[in-house]
Amino acid sequence: MNIRPIVSSLSALAVSIALLPFGDFPAEAQMTMHFTTPFVTDSGFVGAAGNMHYITLGVTGFSLKSATIGLPIDMERSIEVKAFDPNGMEILGTLKKSPGGITIDFNQPIDPNTYVRLQLSGVDMSRMGGRALYRVSTQLQGIEGEVPIGSAMIRLKDPS
C-alpha cells in the first residue's frame, strides 16, 4: 500500500490549519470620512412619470448660500427647482437660470449638519432610458467662488 498520498494530504491539512487565524482580530484597515464641504448623499426621481428628480445634499463644514445644478445638454430648460429641509418644509430662495444650469440662492444661509433636498420639476428630456448626470456645485459662506461638490446620477424612466 502506497501511503505517500495519505501523508501528502495530512501534511497539506496541517499546513492549512496552522495558517488559519484563530480568535477575533481587528481589521487592519479602517475608513473614516470627515466631510468639510457639502456633498451629494442621494438622488433619484419621484413618481411614475419620472418628470420630477431630486438631489439630496448633506451640508457640512460651512453654511450653504447657494447650489448650482448643471443640466445635461439634451435636457429642456423649463425646469423649476425647490429646496426642502429634512422635515419637508420649503426653503425659500431665488432661482437663476443660465445655459449651463440652474442656481438657487437661499434667502438665509443653511446651517451645517443638516440635509437639503433639491427637487427639480418639469424635467422633459429628448431621450428616454439611460441616465441623467447632474454636476452640483455650491457657494459657501466665508469661501469665495463656487465649490464643485460632486455629481448626481439619476436613472431615467425606461420606455414601455
Side-chain angles (χ1 to χ4, degrees):
M1 178 167 140
N2 189 356
I3 64 168
R4 196 180 307 180
I6 295 172
V7 172
S8 296
S9 296
L10 289 175
S11 296
L13 181 62
V15 169
S16 298
I17 289 174
L19 295 177
L20 286 176
F22 291 106
D24 291 331
F25 292 102
E28 290 183 24
Q30 294 182 358
M31 187 167 82
T32 305
M33 297 178 152
H34 298 284
F35 293 100
T36 57
T37 61
F39 58 98
V40 176
T41 65
D42 189 22
S43 61
F45 64 87
V46 179
N51 62 348
M52 189 177 300
H53 295 179
Y54 69 88
I55 301 168
T56 305
L57 306 180
V59 182
T60 60
F62 296 88
S63 295
L64 182 63
K65 292 177 18 180
S66 71
T68 300
I69 301 168
L71 300 176
I73 293 170
D74 59 345
M75 185 175 284
E76 296 293 327
R77 298 300 194 245
S78 60
I79 294 175
E80 294 297 318
V81 177
K82 290 185 179 182
F84 296 93
D85 69 12
N87 298 320
M89 300 296 295
E90 186 174 353
I91 301 170
L92 298 177
T94 305
L95 285 183
K96 290 189 276 183
K97 296 181 181 182
S98 68
I102 300 175
T103 299
I104 182 166
D105 290 322
F106 300 110
N107 291 354
Q108 296 292 321
I110 298 168
D111 292 330
N113 303 320
T114 191
Y115 292 90
V116 175
R117 181 175 172 151
L118 304 175
Q119 190 165 292
L120 292 78
S121 59
V123 175
D124 181 23
M125 299 196 57
S126 61
R127 60 182 155 87
M128 293 289 287
R131 288 165 179 51
L133 183 64
Y134 298 101
R135 296 169 321 280
V136 183
S137 59
T138 59
Q139 286 215 333
L140 307 172
Q141 197 161 18
I143 304 289
E144 291 295 321
E146 281 199 344
V147 177
I149 62 166
S151 299
M153 187 180 304
I154 298 174
R155 183 172 175 232
L156 302 176
K157 183 179 174 191
D158 289 326
S160 24

